[in-house]
Amino acid sequence: MAREFTSVGVVGLGTMGAGIVEVFARNGIDVVAVEISEAALERGRTTLTGSTDRAVAKGKLAEADRDALLSRVHFQVGLDALHSVDLVIEAVPEHLDLKQRIFAELDRVCKPEAILATNTSSLSVTEISVATTRPNQVIGIHFFNPAPVMKLVEVVRTVVTSADVVADVEALCERLGKVDVTISDRAGFIANALLFGYLNHAVSMFESRYATREDIDAAMKLGCGLPMGPLALMDLIGLDTAYEILDTMYRRGGRDRRHAPVPLIKQMVTAGLLGRKSGRGFYTYERPGSPVVVPDEQTPVASESALADGARGIAKVGVVGSGTMATGIIEVFAKAGYEVVSVTRGAEKSAKVFESVKTSLNKGVVRGKLSEADRDAALGRINWSATLEHLADVDLVVEAVVEELSVKKALFASLDEICKPGVVLATTTSSLPVIDVAMATQRPADVVGLHFFNPAPIMPLIEVVQTIRTSAETTTTAKAVCATLGKTGVVCGDRSGFIVNALLFPYLNDAVKMLEASYSTADDIDYAMKLGCGYPMGPFELLDVVGLDVSLAIQRELYLELREPGFAPAPLLEHLVTAGYLGRKSGRGFRDHTRR
């Protein structure tokens, strides 16, 4: 039988501590809420009442329940007030010496059987536990912010944590309505170990001026379905907190360069640009603590006239290819009012593409997203061809053929001879260097990457990839076309992975390495990222959907170009691909899909 927790103590009433207090009090448990001074105590009380009042206003909490909740909380100054509680959770700033001092004092104050827990997100629970005479009763209970909302709790056991203590805390998490994942004491645990490498990489991308803050954030939200872009998330977490977590992970996690804080982070912290809490970080906010972003000197001008200024007129578009991506792109342009010339390798392939486009448009009619007249008009704008010569008078060509450089280069050399001067030549490659394709022509200034995401009619993002030879006019034209299609175009340089894949696949690779090291299970890692970070899919779910072979190929390209040791493909990923376990398409990847 798990022990009954009738009263708990919470030390530190900042945003996280006050949230943890609310979680326990909501679930009928008496809480002793402790701070260092009356002023700090009052701030904590204000945070708690503000949160519960908002819940009442939104209809998520009855007034009577709020009043009962608040009556269970006893605010006190000083650790001596915790002498009779069954469990204490510490939620003070991430400084090891501070936490060790608090735990030494808790060891003196608390009754012998009390469990002592830390909410640390990055520090060693083991190092904290040795400040006490009861390290077997010390455990990590890592809540996620905001604690009343986020479902995940990471339960962190050390090598000496008692099995009974782990079981009691797991049962408590279930009572609180949380999903717990139990893990060993390792830098970053699950969620932060995967999240902060990705965040650090995004800051590096911004620091090098590879892409704007807006484009990096839009790319990850729209391309991956994430709830926030990485730079906006850094502002929410706080750059000082992010720096401490990264620095700790770097020192504790084998000094992986991917966790070495990007210099810009330390510079911003030193300058007081801490994110939302200071009113300015990567973005500027209405006031300190506000989530409302206001324009600043880096905010781009987004007016339609500014977008169209300097862009070439595009009325007729050629699409080369007959696969899924080509079919989707044809539909996107035709629905947006462009005249389209579809070029495939023969009448049979053209007939298949026509049927695919027609079927997709009919689905739009059935779902009420498209009228029959609009469907017929879109189909009427498409001309079907099996010869490249029919592209002689188009204004834009979009290539969507197989991902082989030799094939694309040969195609672009032919387009160079056939197409009129001034036409924009675009490749949809997701992994090959655009400059290699561009230099197959005599007009590299007119060549750009337009990386659509699959399925093209649904996904709202296009990566506009400019090479060192792409003209400003070509880039402006490409962005204007994206806007006309109703898509968000994000501009980036011609580098392996562009924005989305360069940030996404190292994170997926890190998850495989975590599984490979037997640190956690695929299920728990997926739970951690979905419930702790709000991701729509866990990394292993996503890998099985994308295809392990595709993922391995992209990771190899990233590693070959950047030569970053942390980007080397995980051996487990290579072994699964060699074994033919490619994900859903083969019936088995990280999970067996034949039984579902």
Side-chain angles (χ1 to χ4, degrees):
M1 287 288 291
R3 78 172 77 185
E4 182 69 20
F5 294 95
T6 57
S7 66
V8 302
V10 177
V11 180
L13 303 180
T15 303
M16 183 56 77
I20 294 170
V21 168
E22 182 177 340
V23 169
F24 282 108
R26 271 179 181 259
N27 287 276
I29 298 172
D30 288 337
V31 184
V32 180
V34 171
E35 258 295 359
I36 195 170
S37 67
E38 288 290 350
L41 201 67
E42 190 55 39
R43 286 194 295 270
R45 192 195 310 269
T46 301
T47 301
L48 177 62
T49 54
S51 174
T52 53
D53 286 347
R54 284 192 297 274
V56 170
K58 292 176 181 176
K60 295 182 177 181
L61 189 67
E63 287 190 25
D65 290 337
R66 174 199 58 195
D67 295 343
L69 183 162
L70 294 175
S71 73
R72 296 186 193 104
V73 182
H74 310 282
F75 292 92
Q76 300 287 339
V77 173
L79 298 179
D80 286 339
L82 301 171
H83 59 88
S84 62
V85 299
D86 304 310
L87 164 73
V88 179
I89 298 183
E90 160 275 312
V92 303
E94 290 282 270
H95 301 295
L96 181 60
D97 57 344
L98 172 61
K99 290 180 187 284
Q100 286 179 327
R101 287 199 306 273
I102 287 173
F103 270 73
E105 187 65 12
L106 290 173
D107 188 35
R108 181 188 67 78
V109 167
C110 295
K111 60 189 182 184
E113 64 272 23
I115 293 174
L116 308 182
T118 173
N119 183 59
T120 184
S121 60
S122 61
L123 297 175
S124 167
V125 179
T126 305
E127 289 185 42
I128 293 169
S129 74
V130 295
T132 75
T133 60
R134 54 176 109 179
N136 61 315
Q137 289 170 236
V138 177
I139 194 167
I141 305 180
H142 179 218
F143 287 83
F144 287 74
N145 193 24
V149 176
M150 301 299 282
K151 283 285 187 183
L152 182 73
V153 175
E154 289 177 321
V155 176
V156 186
R157 60 171 179 251
T158 74
V159 289
V160 296
T161 304
S162 163
D164 288 344
V165 168
V166 174
D168 290 342
V169 169
E170 288 174 336
L172 176 62
C173 290
E174 185 176 357
R175 176 181 169 185
L176 298 175
K178 302 294 186 183
V179 174
D180 68 274
V181 293
T182 300
I183 47 181
S184 300
D185 184 20
R186 181 178 123 166
F189 313 138
I190 296 176
N192 282 354
L194 296 180
L195 176 66
F196 276 86
Y198 151 72
L199 295 178
N200 204 37
H201 190 187
V203 176
S204 175
M205 198 176 270
F206 173 71
E207 182 186 49
S208 66
R209 300 186 181 182
Y210 176 69
T212 67
R213 61 188 182 182
E214 287 85 1
D215 281 356
I216 292 170
D217 279 355
M220 298 314 291
K221 287 169 64 180
L222 301 177
C224 298
L226 302 185
M228 294 183 77
L231 301 179
L233 181 55
M234 286 283 282
D235 276 358
L236 175 63
I237 292 168
L239 272 70
D240 51 344
T241 302
Y243 179 84
E244 291 294 337
I245 291 172
L246 282 165
D247 187 53
T248 301
M249 287 172 57
Y250 175 70
R251 287 186 285 103
R252 288 188 61 209
R255 298 189 178 272
D256 183 342
R257 284 208 311 251
R258 293 190 55 232
H259 291 144
V262 172
L264 178 62
I265 301 174
K266 183 62 178 293
Q267 293 163 16
M268 292 176 72
V269 171
T270 304
L273 306 178
L274 308 182
R276 284 191 189 182
K277 60 187 172 187
S278 69
R280 187 166 179 186
F282 289 102
Y283 296 90
T284 301
Y285 298 88
E286 197 172 47
R287 62 182 179 279
S290 170
V292 180
V293 174
V294 296
D296 58 22
E297 66 276 5
Q298 294 185 53
T299 303
V301 177
S303 68
E304 290 294 327
S305 60
L307 198 60
D309 188 31
R312 299 175 197 172
I314 305 292
K316 192 172 184 179
V317 178
V319 180
V320 183
S322 57
T324 303
M325 187 56 76
T327 302
I329 292 169
I330 291 166
E331 179 183 338
V332 167
F333 276 104
K335 284 198 297 190
Y338 289 97
E339 185 180 348
V340 181
V341 179
S342 166
V343 179
T344 65
R345 289 182 301 169
E348 186 178 337
K349 285 188 179 294
S350 285
K352 286 184 178 179
V353 175
F354 169 75
E355 286 302 323
S356 295
V357 173
K358 185 177 178 182
T359 299
S360 180
L361 290 170
N362 283 336
K363 286 180 181 176
V365 173
V366 171
R367 292 169 182 166
K369 295 181 178 181
L370 195 69
S371 70
E372 290 188 13
D374 288 340
R375 174 201 60 194
D376 296 342
L379 285 170
R381 294 187 192 102
I382 306 171
N383 302 292
W384 306 96
S385 172
T387 174
L388 292 174
E389 278 69 22
H390 287 146
L391 300 175
D393 64 339
V394 301
D395 306 307
L396 163 68
V397 178
V398 180
E399 163 276 309
V401 300
V402 65
E403 280 285 271
E404 290 182 17
L405 187 58
S406 60
V407 175
K408 292 182 187 288
K409 288 175 73 172
L411 172 60
F412 271 71
S414 298
L415 293 173
D416 191 32
E417 295 177 4
I418 293 166
C419 294
K420 65 185 181 184
V423 66
V424 173
L425 303 178
T427 173
T428 62
T429 183
S430 60
S431 59
L432 299 174
V434 178
I435 189 63
D436 283 359
V437 177
M439 295 310 290
T441 75
Q442 300 299 311
R443 49 175 111 180
D446 295 329
V447 178
V448 69
L450 282 180
H451 179 216
F452 288 78
F453 287 73
N454 194 29
I458 295 172
M459 294 296 284
L461 182 72
I462 300 174
E463 289 177 317
V464 178
V465 186
Q466 53 186 3
T467 75
I468 55 174
R469 296 289 297 270
T470 305
S471 70
E473 183 186 27
T474 299
T475 301
T476 302
T477 303
K479 279 214 70 173
V481 167
C482 293
T484 306
L485 295 175
K487 308 284 190 184
T488 297
V490 296
V491 178
C492 59
D494 182 22
R495 201 169 78 183
S496 185
F498 311 140
I499 297 174
V500 173
N501 285 352
L503 292 178
L504 174 65
F505 282 89
Y507 146 76
L508 296 175
N509 195 50
D510 286 346
V512 179
K513 290 178 180 177
M514 187 177 280
L515 179 67
E516 190 174 47
S518 300
Y519 178 65
S520 190
T521 66
D523 286 345
D524 278 356
I525 293 169
D526 278 355
Y527 281 137
M529 298 314 293
K530 288 194 294 184
L531 301 178
C533 299
Y535 282 25
M537 299 179 78
F540 297 105
E541 289 177 287
L542 184 55
L543 281 160
D544 276 1
V545 168
V546 170
L548 274 62
D549 52 342
V550 174
S551 303
L552 178 59
I554 292 172
Q555 192 62 35
R556 281 175 173 164
E557 287 293 328
L558 290 169
Y559 179 56
L560 285 172
E561 180 165 315
L562 301 175
R563 304 301 172 108
E564 169 58 58
F567 285 178
L572 176 59
L573 182 61
E574 294 185 318
H575 294 167
L576 288 169
V577 172
T578 302
Y581 292 173
L582 307 182
R584 285 189 183 178
K585 60 188 173 187
S586 69
R588 183 165 179 183
F590 286 98
R591 294 184 174 89
D592 186 347
H593 300 278
T594 61
R595 299 177 183 177
R596 299 186 178 203

